[in-house]
């Protein structure tokens, strides 16, 4: 295909909107109960080179006596563009809408009711604090019960330092720490309260000096607030994608008295208050170690001040059962009676929806993905639950995101889902979830018996009679997951005629804490071999081309069929991935130079030794190689040698595949000089290599125009070299 045709394919697969949040408003009428469901959507627009945001509303009518049975769903309202909204929150009684909006260089706080704009404050002009935080790590916007006050988090004003003009001149070039990748404008957060009657804005005092507050919400009675505080001494470490940062849950009253509510040397996040105000649930994990881990769900009884585990960390989940908590909690996650908590989480190759009962502590699946023989959706994400009506986003590798609703069932009731927004189309792809057990020689001796998974997606009807080229797609992290959900890169490549294998190697989330821990000290070997091991061993990639049915996996029908799948071309295999996925890509083409014909890597780790002093998560650099981290750690010859030995650069001279590198100039997680290091090695040997440099993008290469450019260049590169 020509460049324009490839760009057209990407425009099609990347243009589907995704619901990102939802709100439910309930109105009681004499004979009916009316549920108004408002969903906020995000959609990429390649013409503008930006993401559009809009809202859409549905009206559901249920009987008063049987309010969990929807009688009628009215046609949805029009899509209403949302411009400049950073944060939005609805008041608990009258449904007032608070919005923090970006308007030019100003940040405005708007209050809306049924008659229009009720109040507007120019937060920038008030100059009480810096910019309001709207990120998922720190940001929050919370109404008090009386609906007279709002709570949010903002950057501390730098104009309030003592010493006047001379002190400002003296300090203006002093280095200011930030919270790393994608949080470079976040340094010293403060908790702010605005009185909607007087218009006064106050910065709450009493937060410990070594703590950065975020995720704030009102405590019952609105005389105090809860917040998560991250410890930032002796220096800050990157927060994005890192659930292992030392932090605590605090309560701060209006007089400046602050109390720590959680234990020491732990990591906490996502505090959520029950509707009856009696209980606070939150996620808790270990400090340091893997950058993302299986978490426990804790419940704090606000009367007794006692904390207990609602869901413990799962070390070794059983096949086909709940696998642990790995995802953040939805802003609204409680049942109406305050007895159950609903959440989404990774579960092997899926993302599922679960509910836990506070009394029995039993966890049940609501998406039914764990037992259904035919699974129409591989991914279920909770957007909200209000008055027991759940709003979820569902998708699969061949179906773009859809919006579904369902009432939380009682113990004896069956779960019923209703689709509000059908997908614009379903693609003619076939997809399969694979469960894979490593061969005995590759078993982890410290954590034996672990398995892993992958998701294979390919055209149902190949574009031509020849065999299909295979693209191995490896996720980053490494402690993340490729669920069986809509992925525009995968869909675009399959639409162009490739098969795509998305690998969840050992260390991925959704397989238990033991799987995550098994990768520590084994990067560059265990994860590489999970994707591919030497000839005559069972592998993620190689078993797709093997005809020997006598393997351990022969009892699994899907894998046995894949071993003899003659539609895949073993002579046309490529590998793509970003971050740790890029690290594995470069390892694979170096360790198996005759197997892969092409590689496309985004912001890959190439030399872990030279990365040690430049990454915003230096702790993970030590941990990944099997070393303990402390803030006063200084690199030793042993550490540097181990990091170098585990790096793709040691295999660079063996690379034969054509390598495409895509680097973000503002990447704080993996310095772009990592990719440049490999580029120079390949250039010096006249190996086929191309480098794309995106000066304004960071580690995720998430700008709309960048993503389009990366896909088109990757597709052209694969087309040329496969």
């Amino acid at each position: 295909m020509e460049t324009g045709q490839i760009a057209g394919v990407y425009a099609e697969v990347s243009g589907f909107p995704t619901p990102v949040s939802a709100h439910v408003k309930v109105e009681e009428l004499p004979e009916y109960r009316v549920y108004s469901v408002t969903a906020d959507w995000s959609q990429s627009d390649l013409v503008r080179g930006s993401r559009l945001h809009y809202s859409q509303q549905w009206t559901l009518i249920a009987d008063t006596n049987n309010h969990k049975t929807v009688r009628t769903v009215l046609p949805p309202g029009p899509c209403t563009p949302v411009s400049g909204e950073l944060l939005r929150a609805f008041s608990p009684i009258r449904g007032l809408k608070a919005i923090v909006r970006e308007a030019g260089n100003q940040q405005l706080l708007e209050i809306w009711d049924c008659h229009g704009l009720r109040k507007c404050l120019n937060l920038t002009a008030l100059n009480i604090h810096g910019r309001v935080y709207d990120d998922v790590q720190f940001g929050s916007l919370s109404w008090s019960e009386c609906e007279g006050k709002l709570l949010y988090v903002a950057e501390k004003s730098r104009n309030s330092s003592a010493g006047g003009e001379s002190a400002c001149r003296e300090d203006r070039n002093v280095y200011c720490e930030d919270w790393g990748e994608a949080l470079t404008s976040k340094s010293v957060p403060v908790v702010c309260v605005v009185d909607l009657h007087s218009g006064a804005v106050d910065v709450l005092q009493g937060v410990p000096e070594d703590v950065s507050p975020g995720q704030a919400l009102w405590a019952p009675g609105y005389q105090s607030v809860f917040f998560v505080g991250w410890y930032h001494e002796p220096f800050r470490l990157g927060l994005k994608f890192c659930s292992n940062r030392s932090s605590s849950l605090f309560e701060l009253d209006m007089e400046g008295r602050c109390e720590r509510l959680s234990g020491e040397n732990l990591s906490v996040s996502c505090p959520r208050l029950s509707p009856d105000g009696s209980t606070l649930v939150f996620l808790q994990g270990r400090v340091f170690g893997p950058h993302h881990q299986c978490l426990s769900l804790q419940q704090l009884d606000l009367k007794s001040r006692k904390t207990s585990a609602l869901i413990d960390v799962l070390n070794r989940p059983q096949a086909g059962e709940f696998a642990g908590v790995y995802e953040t909690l939805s802003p609204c996650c409680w049942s109406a009676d305050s007895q159950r908590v609903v959440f989404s989480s990774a579960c092997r190759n899926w993302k599922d929806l679960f509910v836990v009962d506070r009394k029995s502590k039993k966890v049940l699946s609501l998406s039914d993905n764990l037992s259904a023989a035919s699974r129409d959706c591989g991914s279920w994400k909770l957007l909200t639950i209000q008055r027991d009506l759940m709003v979820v986003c569902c998708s699969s590798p061949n179906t773009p995101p859809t919006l579904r609703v369902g009432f939380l069932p009682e113990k004896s009731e069956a779960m019923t889902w209703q689709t509000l927004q059908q997908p614009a189309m379903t693609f003619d792809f076939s997809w399969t979830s694979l469960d894979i057990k490593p061969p005995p020689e590759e078993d982890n001796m410290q954590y034996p018996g672990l398995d892993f998974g992958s998701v294979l997606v390919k055209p149902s009807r190949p574009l031509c009679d020849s065999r299909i080229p295979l693209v191995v797609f490896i996720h980053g992290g490494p402690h993340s997951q490729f669920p069986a959900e809509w992925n525009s890169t995968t869909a675009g490549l399959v639409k162009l005629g490739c098969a795509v294998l998305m690998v969840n190697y050992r260390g991925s989330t959704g397989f238990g804490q033991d799987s995550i821990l098994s990768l520590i000290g084994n990067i560059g070997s265990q994860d590489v071999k999970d994707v591919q091991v030497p000839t005559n061993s069972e592998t993620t990639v190689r078993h797709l081309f093997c005809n020997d049915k006598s393997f351990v996996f022969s009892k699994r029908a899907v894998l046995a069929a894949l071993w003899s799948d003659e539609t895949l071309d073993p002579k046309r295999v490529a590998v793509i991935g970003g971050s740790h996925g890029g690290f594995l890509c470069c390892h694979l083409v170096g360790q198996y130079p005759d197997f892969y014909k092409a590689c496309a890597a985004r912001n890959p780790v190439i030399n872990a030794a030279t990365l040690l002093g430049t990454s915003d998560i230096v702790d993970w650099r030590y941990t990944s190689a099997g070393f303990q981290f402390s803030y006063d750690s200084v690199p030793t010859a042993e550490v540097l040698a181990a990091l170098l030995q585990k790096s793709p650069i040691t295999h660079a001279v063996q690379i034969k595949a054509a390598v495409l590198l895509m680097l973000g100039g503002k990447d704080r997680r993996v310095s772009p000089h990592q990719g440049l290091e490999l580029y120079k090695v390949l250039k010096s040997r006249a190996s086929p290599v191309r480098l794309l440099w995106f000066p304004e993008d960071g580690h995720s290469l998430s700008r709309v125009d960048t993503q389009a450019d990366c896909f088109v260049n990757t597709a052209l590169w694969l087309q040329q070299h496969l």
Side-chain angles (χ1 to χ4, degrees):
M1 288 188 175
E2 300 296 329
T3 302
Q5 293 174 292
I6 294 174
V9 168
Y10 183 73
E12 178 185 359
V13 298
S14 67
F16 296 104
T18 300
V20 293
S21 63
H23 173 73
V24 178
K25 181 181 178 182
V26 182
E27 183 179 3
E28 300 283 0
L29 298 177
E31 297 182 4
Y32 307 104
R33 177 178 285 184
V34 179
Y35 296 85
S36 298
V37 177
T38 302
D40 295 327
W41 300 72
S42 176
Q43 184 175 18
S44 295
D45 180 17
L46 298 184
V47 175
R48 291 180 175 88
S50 63
R51 287 179 180 84
L52 305 180
H53 299 274
Y54 66 89
S55 64
Q56 194 170 19
Q57 182 173 302
W58 285 261
T59 301
L60 286 61
I61 300 176
D63 288 334
T64 300
N65 296 331
N66 188 11
H67 59 267
K68 288 192 175 183
T69 300
V70 175
R71 292 183 53 184
T72 306
V73 177
L74 300 181
C79 299
T80 305
V82 176
S83 176
E85 287 192 12
L86 303 178
L87 296 169
R88 181 196 298 178
F90 293 88
S91 67
I93 302 173
R94 290 177 290 170
L96 303 177
K97 182 167 62 175
I99 295 173
V100 176
R101 189 185 305 276
E102 191 87 36
N105 295 323
Q106 309 292 311
Q107 286 190 323
L108 308 177
L109 174 61
E110 303 170 350
I111 308 298
W112 295 79
D113 62 14
C114 60
H115 301 292
L117 183 64
R118 176 177 169 181
K119 195 177 190 69
C120 182
L121 295 175
N122 189 328
L123 299 178
T124 304
L126 290 175
N127 201 27
I128 304 298
H129 52 70
R131 293 185 61 79
V132 176
Y133 286 18
D134 62 323
D135 59 275
V136 296
Q137 277 74 28
F138 291 98
S140 62
L141 185 62
S142 176
W143 282 89
S144 64
E145 292 176 0
C146 67
E147 301 189 338
K149 294 183 178 181
L150 275 167
L151 179 70
Y152 58 90
V153 178
E155 181 70 13
K156 182 179 180 180
S157 174
R158 299 185 183 180
N159 299 326
S160 59
S161 59
E165 183 178 347
S166 60
C168 290
R169 185 181 299 112
E170 178 183 335
D171 295 341
R172 63 186 176 187
N173 291 320
V174 172
Y175 174 67
C176 183
E177 292 181 15
D178 58 49
W179 286 99
E181 175 65 28
L183 296 169
T184 54
S185 63
K186 314 294 192 301
S187 180
V188 185
V190 291
V191 181
C192 305
V193 173
V194 55
D195 188 312
L196 297 177
H197 300 296
S198 66
V201 177
D202 294 314
V203 174
L204 297 187
Q205 304 301 312
V207 176
E209 292 186 359
D210 62 341
V211 164
S212 289
Q215 300 184 15
L217 69 157
W218 289 100
Y222 65 90
Q223 296 304 308
S224 62
V225 302
F226 301 121
F227 68 86
V228 174
W230 286 269
Y231 296 98
H232 54 239
E233 294 295 344
F235 56 83
R236 291 164 175 78
L237 292 165
L239 264 184
K240 190 175 178 65
F241 304 131
C242 296
S243 62
N244 64 341
R245 296 289 172 247
S246 180
S247 50
S248 296
L249 182 65
F250 293 91
E251 184 174 8
L252 175 67
D253 67 20
M254 299 298 105
E255 303 301 320
R257 293 183 290 267
C258 192
E259 178 187 1
R260 179 169 55 82
L261 302 177
S262 59
E264 294 183 301
N265 197 33
L266 295 168
S267 174
V268 304
S269 62
C270 300
R272 304 289 187 259
L273 184 64
S274 62
D276 64 7
S278 68
T279 308
L280 196 70
V281 294
F282 58 94
L283 299 178
Q284 181 174 286
R286 303 178 185 178
V287 175
F288 297 144
H291 67 87
H292 186 50
Q293 310 179 34
C294 185
L295 304 172
S296 67
L297 180 63
Q298 301 287 322
Q299 56 180 349
L300 170 64
D301 186 304
L302 295 177
K303 184 176 180 180
S304 67
R305 297 286 171 159
K306 292 183 179 179
T307 300
S308 60
L310 191 53
I311 300 176
D312 279 317
V313 171
L314 280 179
N315 294 317
R316 191 71 66 98
Q318 298 298 313
E321 296 184 0
F322 172 63
V325 181
Y326 304 91
E327 314 286 333
T328 59
L329 299 178
S330 169
C332 296
C333 60
W334 282 93
S335 63
D337 61 3
S338 299
Q339 294 304 307
R340 292 180 288 175
V341 178
V342 183
F343 60 97
S344 303
S345 188
C347 189
R348 300 189 67 82
N349 296 324
W350 313 83
K351 182 175 290 185
D352 286 307
L353 189 64
F354 299 97
V355 60
V356 59
D357 185 277
R358 289 181 56 206
K359 292 181 179 179
S360 67
K361 298 186 178 180
K362 186 176 182 179
V363 180
L364 298 175
S365 170
L366 293 172
S367 52
D368 202 29
N369 268 0
L370 298 179
S371 59
S374 177
R375 306 176 177 184
D376 64 334
C377 286
S379 171
W380 296 69
K381 181 180 179 182
L382 178 70
L383 301 179
T384 191
I385 174 173
Q386 292 168 268
R387 301 283 288 272
D388 284 347
L389 181 65
M390 297 176 290
V391 185
V392 299
C393 171
C394 299
S395 72
S396 63
N398 66 335
T399 306
T402 64
L403 193 68
R404 293 185 180 182
V405 295
F407 285 101
L408 184 64
E410 300 300 331
K411 294 181 180 179
S412 59
E413 295 177 342
M415 183 68 233
T416 302
W417 292 101
Q418 188 158 3
T419 301
L420 293 184
Q421 181 75 304
Q422 295 284 356
M425 64 182 299
T426 298
F427 288 81
D428 193 16
F429 305 157
S430 64
W431 61 277
T432 308
S433 172
L434 309 174
D435 294 321
I436 303 164
K437 191 175 182 62
E441 64 269 22
E442 298 303 336
D443 205 14
N444 187 300
M445 300 305 294
Q446 187 176 359
Y447 300 97
L450 296 172
D451 65 352
F452 60 100
S454 59
V455 179
L456 178 66
V457 189
K458 62 180 185 177
S460 295
R461 289 186 291 272
L463 299 179
C464 55
D465 294 334
S466 61
R467 288 186 170 186
I468 305 171
L470 177 68
V471 178
V472 181
F473 195 179
I474 313 174
H475 67 70
H479 306 306
S480 62
Q481 177 213 26
F482 262 148
E485 66 182 6
W486 178 255
N487 183 300
S488 58
T489 297
T490 297
L493 291 174
V494 175
K495 192 168 175 61
L496 291 172
C498 298
V500 177
L501 184 71
M502 301 184 289
V503 184
N504 290 314
Y505 45 87
R506 282 174 290 175
S508 302
T509 56
F511 294 82
Q513 182 73 352
D514 281 0
S515 179
I516 289 173
L517 294 174
S518 75
L519 189 55
I520 302 304
N522 295 311
I523 62 166
S525 55
Q526 176 178 289
D527 42 7
V528 171
K529 291 171 183 175
D530 279 354
V531 180
Q532 174 161 351
V533 296
T535 308
N536 298 326
S537 295
E538 301 101 319
T539 75
T540 304
V541 173
R542 192 169 296 279
H543 80 251
L544 295 174
F545 308 116
C546 181
N547 292 316
D548 187 351
K549 302 297 193 305
S550 63
F551 286 164
V552 176
F553 300 109
S554 61
K555 62 183 179 182
R556 302 176 187 265
V558 174
L559 292 179
L562 286 170
W563 295 334
S564 60
D565 189 343
E566 296 182 354
T567 67
L568 301 178
D569 191 343
K571 296 181 179 179
R572 290 192 295 164
V573 184
V575 60
I576 65 174
S579 190
H580 192 83
F583 166 88
L584 293 179
C585 287
C586 297
H587 258 300
L588 286 161
V589 294
Q591 294 190 40
Y592 307 100
D594 296 319
F595 192 83
Y596 295 94
K597 297 299 183 288
C599 164
R602 295 174 287 107
N603 288 324
V605 175
I606 298 300
N607 185 338
T610 58
L611 181 62
L612 188 61
T614 62
S615 175
D616 67 328
I617 53 170
V618 61
D619 61 308
W620 167 241
R621 306 306 166 198
Y622 280 92
T623 300
S624 65
F627 295 96
Q628 291 290 326
F629 169 80
S630 64
Y631 281 101
D632 59 357
S633 296
V634 176
T636 64
E638 178 191 8
V639 170
L640 294 174
L643 289 169
L644 180 62
Q645 185 269 332
K646 295 176 183 298
S647 300
I649 195 69
T650 59
H651 306 286
V653 297
Q654 300 165 210
I655 294 176
K656 297 179 182 179
V659 176
L660 173 66
L661 297 167
M662 294 160 279
L663 309 178
K666 293 186 176 180
D667 190 345
R668 295 281 300 277
R669 184 69 33 105
V670 177
S671 168
H673 292 280
Q674 289 285 301
L676 283 167
E677 192 171 341
L678 178 62
Y679 173 78
K680 292 174 182 177
V681 170
L682 297 178
K683 284 282 284 185
S684 69
R685 286 163 172 74
S687 297
V689 62
R690 188 167 188 240
L691 190 149
L692 304 180
W693 183 271
F694 301 96
E696 299 303 317
D697 225 319
H699 186 61
S700 297
L701 295 177
S702 58
R703 291 165 58 107
V704 171
D705 54 346
T706 299
Q707 290 183 335
D709 201 8
C710 287
F711 179 86
V712 171
N713 277 278
T714 297
L716 289 170
W717 193 253
L718 299 182
Q719 180 174 270
Q720 177 184 350
H721 296 284
L722 288 183

